[in-house]
Amino acid sequence: MRTYFVSGVDTDAGKTYITSHMAAQLKAEGVDVITQKPVQTGCTGMAEDIEEHRRVMGCGLLPDDKEGLTCTYLFRKPASPALAARMEGAEIDPARIDADTRALAARHEVVLVEGAGGLMVPLRDDLLTIDYVATRHMPLILVTTSKLGGINHALLSIEACKTHNVDLRIVVFNRLPGDEDVMADDSLSEISKFTARAFPEAKVIDFRGQESLAGMKLT
């Protein structure tokens, strides 16, 4: 059983993009992988992030998706999970998410759990995403970006992982189209140095397309 949580340094870091490509790469390497989006906000029907995962993975919706295991909560309002739930008169129960994650882990070799927003986003009034990850002892895959301001967001997120005792395993540096190489390279250098000091065992991946994930080992 290998379950990993994927979070980003902010809402537009590319979590869904990276989660999709990681799943596709693992699938191409013969790994039985499934993705999970425990809380999806801003849509109705099927979780749009799950649909994107399956599109990139090259498959249709899976039995797990149709059973509702891959998306425990779906809310219409594009807001934080806590607010989106409250606006529909609901409250997120972490135990329900845990049960779905366990069910997926029992069926598949690797589960990639994509969060909603960044690490400090509230799942409910008394629970931040980062504390959910820490108390479940899920290794974290953190998606950072090459955009202006990305260094600050990345370093703050990494520092928060240290403070909250999160097991940071992989930092994915997501190079965004159109960003200048000189700025992107400098951002990657700063993020890599900070990561090495805070989490010496963590890997930093310079994501330039799915081929840069080839041979990725989640251990």
Side-chain angles (χ1 to χ4, degrees), residues 34-51 53-54 61-75 96-97 100-101 104 112-114 116:
I34 189 73
T35 61
Q36 181 185 14
K37 181 79 175 186
V39 183
Q40 174 84 70
T41 65
C43 71
T44 58
M46 179 58 64
E48 58 188 19
D49 289 354
I50 291 295
E51 291 179 326
H53 295 168
R54 303 297 173 259
L61 291 176
L62 301 172
D64 310 279
D65 304 322
K66 296 173 183 178
E67 291 175 41
L69 293 175
T70 56
C71 185
T72 310
Y73 291 98
L74 186 69
F75 301 112
R96 282 188 57 193
I97 298 174
D100 287 346
T101 303
L104 293 171
L112 299 179
V113 184
E114 182 190 339

Side-chain angles (χ1 to χ4, degrees), residues 77-94:
K77 182 70 175 177
S80 72
L83 176 58
R86 192 160 60 245
M87 292 182 71
E88 295 188 25
E91 185 176 71
I92 292 171
D93 180 2

Side-chain angles (χ1 to χ4, degrees), residues 1-215:
M1 171 178 158
R2 291 178 287 175
T3 302
Y4 301 83
F5 197 91
V6 183
S7 188
V9 295
D10 61 22
T11 302
D12 298 317
K15 294 187 307 298
T16 301
Y17 182 71
I18 296 300
T19 302
S20 299
H21 282 80
M22 281 190 162
Q25 185 63 50
L26 289 167
K27 182 172 177 283
E29 294 175 358
V31 177
D32 180 6
V33 58
I34 189 73
T35 61
Q36 181 185 14
K37 181 79 175 186
V39 183
Q40 174 84 70
T41 65
C43 71
T44 58
M46 179 58 64
E48 58 188 19
D49 289 354
I50 291 295
E51 291 179 326
E52 178 64 9
H53 295 168
R54 303 297 173 259
R55 184 190 70 79
V56 176
M57 292 170 68
C59 62
L61 291 176
L62 301 172
D64 310 279
D65 304 322
K66 296 173 183 178
E67 291 175 41
L69 293 175
T70 56
C71 185
T72 310
Y73 291 98
L74 186 69
F75 301 112
R76 292 185 297 274
K77 182 70 175 177
S80 72
L83 176 58
R86 192 160 60 245
M87 292 182 71
E88 295 188 25
E91 185 176 71
I92 292 171
D93 180 2
R96 282 188 57 193
I97 298 174
D98 293 341
D100 287 346
T101 303
R102 285 195 299 269
L104 293 171
R107 298 180 182 185
H108 304 276
E109 293 179 80
V110 172
V111 183
L112 299 179
V113 184
E114 182 190 339
L119 284 168
M120 303 301 284
V121 167
L123 288 174
R124 44 191 279 168
D125 290 341
D126 60 351
L127 182 66
L128 298 176
T129 298
I130 195 168
D131 293 316
Y132 177 84
V133 176
T135 53
R136 272 64 183 176
H137 306 290
M138 281 189 281
L140 178 70
I141 299 169
L142 180 66
V143 180
T144 69
T145 76
S146 58
K147 69 181 180 182
L148 187 63
I151 295 175
N152 179 66
H153 290 156
L155 270 54
L156 284 173
S157 296
I158 295 167
E159 184 69 22
C161 288
K162 196 74 175 176
T163 302
H164 290 258
N165 296 313
V166 170
D167 181 12
L168 179 61
R169 293 286 183 88
I170 298 175
V171 175
V172 179
F173 182 70
N174 183 22
R175 287 183 181 258
L176 301 176
D179 284 353
E180 296 180 5
D181 282 344
V182 64
M183 291 183 62
D185 290 344
D186 181 68
S187 295
L188 175 59
S189 175
E190 293 297 331
I191 292 169
S192 296
K193 287 186 292 186
F194 194 85
T195 301
R197 291 194 296 270
F199 293 92
E201 302 302 318
K203 296 184 290 186
V204 178
I205 296 175
D206 183 5
F207 184 78
R208 296 173 179 264
Q210 190 168 329
E211 65 279 358
S212 64
L213 296 173

